[in-house]
């Protein structure tokens, strides 16, 4: 753990999930990270009249990035606990920041395929399937692991193949081991990409 004296005003010490460990793993590991909850730039923005939700978006993005740079990964639940806010609000603020800044922040929904991050699945599968980009380049562009990108693309093609053969969702779920919710997301992407082509 970092020495107490090395933590600056506005920072907190947090035990984040090790970025190489899934949150639902029975052997998950934690890593101590120092997060900047309030930065001097936040204070200056507040003085200048920047809306609170914009400052909150910046803080969420900063903490997510700081944790990742220190070997950890922040979930929406972690960020909500730190900020004492509802998870749905934190999730919305994160998505708005990503949209406004055209970035993908490294959080559990993205890197570990947890939650309902269809926007990231769509972005990744679109780049590989429609734009014909190399999956290695897509991993770099979207701040995802190679394993996550390969998984998204493989699952897309598995669902696409079964769906085109008119196999029902229950059977697709049985043979692929994917949830019906996830299969529905991939079918939505398939239908959307088909319209684009």
């Amino acid at each position: 753990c970092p020495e107490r004296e090395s933590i600056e005003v506005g920072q907190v010490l947090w035990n984040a999930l090790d970025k190489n460990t899934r949150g639902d793993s029975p052997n998950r590991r934690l890593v101590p990270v120092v997060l900047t909850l309030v930065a001097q730039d936040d204070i200056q923005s507040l003085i200048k009249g920047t809306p609170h939700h914009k400052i909150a978006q910046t803080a969420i993005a900063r903490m997510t990035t700081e944790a990742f740079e220190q070997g950890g990964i922040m979930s929406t639940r972690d960020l909500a606990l730190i900020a004492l806010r509802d998870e749905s609000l934190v999730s919305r603020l994160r998505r708005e920041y990503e949209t406004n800044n055209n970035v993908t922040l490294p959080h559990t929904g993205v890197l570990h395929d947890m939650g309902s991050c269809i926007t990231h699945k769509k972005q990744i599968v679109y780049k590989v399937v429609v734009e014909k980009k190399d999956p290695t380049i897509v991993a770099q562009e979207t701040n995802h692991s190679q394993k996550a990108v390969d998984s998204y693309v493989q699952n897309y093609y598995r669902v696409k193949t079964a769906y085109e053969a008119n196999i029902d969702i229950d059977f697709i779920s049985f043979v692929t081991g994917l949830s019906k919710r996830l299969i529905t997301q991939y079918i939505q992407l398939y239908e959307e990409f088909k319209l684009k082509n």
Side-chain angles (χ1 to χ4, degrees):
C1 288
E3 292 292 329
R4 189 168 56 181
E5 293 76 19
S6 68
I7 297 176
E8 299 176 8
V9 173
Q11 291 186 324
V12 296
L13 178 64
W14 191 259
N15 281 326
L17 181 69
D18 184 300
K19 67 182 179 184
N20 297 311
T21 306
R22 285 180 58 89
D24 56 1
S25 168
N27 299 314
R28 62 183 173 271
R29 295 182 307 275
L30 301 177
V31 59
V33 295
V34 176
L35 306 174
T36 308
L37 184 57
V38 180
Q40 286 299 316
D41 288 346
D42 299 336
I43 296 168
Q44 293 304 316
S45 295
L46 194 59
I47 291 169
K48 291 175 184 174
T50 303
H52 284 266
H53 74 278
K54 291 285 186 189
I55 297 170
Q57 286 177 9
T58 303
I60 288 166
R62 179 179 57 242
M63 289 188 287
T64 302
T65 304
E66 285 176 340
F68 190 72
E69 289 171 351
Q70 296 172 63
I73 185 167
M74 299 296 285
S75 67
T76 301
R77 182 172 296 148
D78 286 328
L79 294 165
L81 284 168
I82 291 170
L84 299 176
R85 295 289 181 266
D86 186 80
E87 286 182 46
S88 61
L89 172 62
V90 172
S91 182
R92 181 173 58 81
L93 291 171
R94 190 203 73 242
R95 288 193 310 270
E96 287 173 5
Y97 180 91
E98 290 176 324
T99 301
N100 294 339
N101 295 277
N102 195 27
V103 297
T104 302
L105 294 171
H107 61 93
T108 52
V110 167
L111 298 175
H112 296 163
D113 194 20
M114 298 175 79
S116 56
C117 296
I118 189 169
T119 53
H120 302 296
K121 287 182 188 71
K122 178 179 178 180
Q123 181 185 30
I124 288 167
V125 175
Y126 183 86
K127 284 175 180 285
V128 174
V129 173
V130 179
E131 295 180 355
K132 309 289 187 206
K133 285 191 174 181
D134 185 300
T136 305
I137 294 171
V138 173
Q140 295 167 353
E141 289 179 350
T142 58
N143 200 18
H144 281 63
S145 68
Q146 188 66 54
K147 184 179 177 182
V149 170
D150 292 343
S151 176
Y152 285 141
V153 175
Q154 288 169 2
N155 287 337
Y156 170 79
Y157 279 118
R158 290 166 67 203
V159 171
K160 173 184 177 284
T161 301
Y163 181 67
E164 286 177 336
N166 293 318
I167 298 173
D168 69 22
I169 292 179
D170 288 330
F171 188 74
I172 296 172
S173 178
F174 175 73
V175 297
T176 62
L178 300 174
S179 70
K180 293 177 187 177
R181 178 189 58 79
L182 193 56
I183 291 166
T184 302
Q185 288 179 354
Y186 282 118
I187 291 171
Q188 288 172 356
L189 295 182
Y190 168 74
E191 293 292 352
E192 186 176 331
F193 296 164
K194 196 165 67 170
L195 289 175
K196 287 181 186 294
N197 291 332

